Amino acid sequence: MKTNVILSCETDITIEFYDVDSMDMVWHGNYVKYLEQARCRLFEKLGYDYSCMLAHGHAWPIVDLKIKYIKPAVFCQKIRIYSELVEWEHRLKVRYIIMDAESGLRLTKAQTTQMVVDLESGETLFEAPEILKQKVQAIREEQ
């Protein structure tokens, strides 16, 4: 991973039966759910989870999603999702690596981009809200 990481987090998940297809492999659409779980843990670690965003009048919809499937995850497998916040000033960009939790074998890599929307006006903002600036500054001071 690159050095411009603001914050990173690891999230462990066990692949459940309802997430696999008839070949016991994770259906490709379920990876988006795993990314969301990892992103939620990352934002919680930042102190800027979705309830905080809403309380400050902002939504952060996904505007871009990229996934590269390398090797499928399978039923009962334990996976680890490494997520890292790499941009925050004008948009939120998060990179992910999904790997086998035991071997470290890389299974999938992905990236999401989110833009901030003012909930009252419905307009896209092109600068981070003050609350996010404060949260990132606090993280930087801890490092």
Side-chain angles (χ1 to χ4, degrees):
M1 301 271 162
K2 296 182 183 173
T3 58
N4 59 342
V5 175
I6 292 103
L7 182 67
S8 64
C9 185
E10 291 183 356
T11 304
D12 290 340
I13 296 172
T14 299
I15 304 301
E16 301 291 345
F17 178 74
Y18 50 77
D19 281 347
V20 299
D21 60 20
S22 60
M23 297 176 285
D24 285 336
M25 294 187 289
V26 171
W27 175 68
H28 69 277
N30 283 323
Y31 286 85
V32 176
K33 176 175 61 173
Y34 303 152
L35 299 179
E36 178 68 23
Q37 290 173 320
R39 193 169 48 255
C40 284
R41 299 301 81 74
L42 181 68
F43 291 159
E44 287 169 3
K45 188 174 178 182
L46 179 61
Y48 189 63
D49 62 9
Y50 286 114
S51 57
C52 181
M53 294 173 188
L54 290 173
H56 287 87
H58 301 108
W60 288 86
I62 300 286
V63 297
D64 189 50
L65 166 67
K66 296 176 183 154
I67 300 178
K68 169 112 174 128
Y69 301 100
I70 301 166
K71 185 170 175 44
V74 296
F75 179 52
C76 290
Q77 183 176 19
K78 294 183 186 336
I79 61 172
R80 178 162 294 136
I81 305 169
Y82 180 78
S83 56
E84 52 188 23
L85 179 62
V86 295
E87 289 185 29
W88 65 274
E89 292 172 309
H90 305 287
R91 59 188 178 178
L92 293 176
K93 187 177 281 188
V94 180
R95 286 192 305 236
Y96 312 83
I97 298 291
I98 300 176
M99 62 192 88
D100 179 83
E102 293 178 20
S103 70
L105 179 68
R106 186 177 292 197
L107 306 174
T108 305
K109 63 181 187 176
Q111 178 177 287
T112 56
T113 304
Q114 297 168 257
M115 294 296 294
V116 63
V117 174
D118 180 276
L119 288 174
E120 188 174 319
S121 69
E123 292 189 27
T124 300
L125 306 176
F126 295 96
E127 184 178 351
E130 191 58 38
I131 184 68
L132 177 56
K133 292 177 185 179
Q134 293 169 5
K135 299 292 185 180
V136 170
Q137 183 62 33
I139 291 294
R140 286 186 167 162
E141 288 172 1
E142 290 176 10
Q143 296 174 345

